[in-house]
Amino acid sequence: MQHAVGSPLPPPHQPGQGPTGWQPAAQHPGAPQGPAPVPPPPTAPPQPLLPPDTTGHVPLPPGAPVGMPSAPPAAAVPDPTTTTLAVLLIGPAGAGKTSVAKYWADHRRVPTAHISLDDVREWVRSGFADPQSGWNEHSEAQYRLARRTCGFAARNFLANGISCILDDAVFPDRPVVGLGGWKRHVGPGLLPVVLLPGLDIVLERNAERTGNRRLTDEEVARIHGRMAGWYGSGLPIIDNSQLDVPTTARLLDEVLSRAIASPPTW
């Protein structure tokens, strides 16, 4: 490129100079120094976000509806003592549901919880709607609430590897507050078993009760008669009239073994 006559040529580029050849003036040794740059404070490493449903640092799997237990291979015999199960023990007042359920839960080889619907209903202290005073909208509402609470607890126990046995006096002629509600709140994998001794046995056992758990003989007989509707329902029935609690619990394991291999339709 040629430059016009008389135009000064740009100075040659020197190392350390900017593109125009300008250099900052050297600072006089006696000039005051500016403040030294302050390094940014160290930042803490980001903390991992905990799942929303945690206790401390232990994640809790959410409780979903319980599915059917997997049947073992045809050659194997189902072992209900080592399988995570959801069991509903049905029976009239005085059938021994609570005693059998507690014993069964206490003697299993895997973690097991016992959830009693009556216990949960009686969490309500002031304003408790006692069905013995008459079945009405208040007692039914508290029953439904207790059943839903039991189902929620059972799903959470089962989701975390803890089996459950629930007990309730479910009537075959009351579908509104019957098995359908339990299936909805726990899941289709719930295994119902009916405990139904003779009337004389339940009358004898009821006489040993105290407080609002004790019913009149007439009420016991009426409930026992309605429970007879479970015969022919397809659900497994245990007559524990002449059986003690340990023997009944062993028989319950046998019934559950068959139910795992061939779940009842309900």
Side-chain angles (χ1 to χ4, degrees), residues 147-173:
R147 185 180 59 190
R148 186 172 63 188
T149 302
C150 290
F152 177 80
R155 292 200 311 271
N156 279 282
F157 277 123
L158 290 156
N160 289 274
I162 300 177
S163 293
C164 289
I165 183 167
L166 307 103
D167 68 79
D168 181 23
V170 181
F171 294 107
D173 57 349

Side-chain angles (χ1 to χ4, degrees), residues 67-78:
M68 295 301 299
S70 300
V77 177

Side-chain angles (χ1 to χ4, degrees), residues 44-113:
Q47 296 296 319
L49 294 177
L50 294 175
D53 188 11
T54 59
T55 300
H57 295 281
V58 181
L60 297 176
V66 181
M68 295 301 299
S70 300
V77 177
D79 186 359
T81 65
T82 57
T83 305
T84 302
L85 297 174
V87 180
L88 175 63
L89 198 58
I90 300 168
K97 300 186 301 297
T98 299
S99 298
V100 172
K102 286 182 176 179
Y103 184 93
W104 185 81
D106 286 342
H107 292 81
R108 299 196 76 220
R109 289 183 284 169
V110 293
T112 304

Side-chain angles (χ1 to χ4, degrees), residues 9-29:
L9 294 175
H13 177 73
Q14 298 295 328
Q17 294 181 339
T20 62
W22 177 84
Q23 288 183 334
Q27 192 170 16
H28 192 277

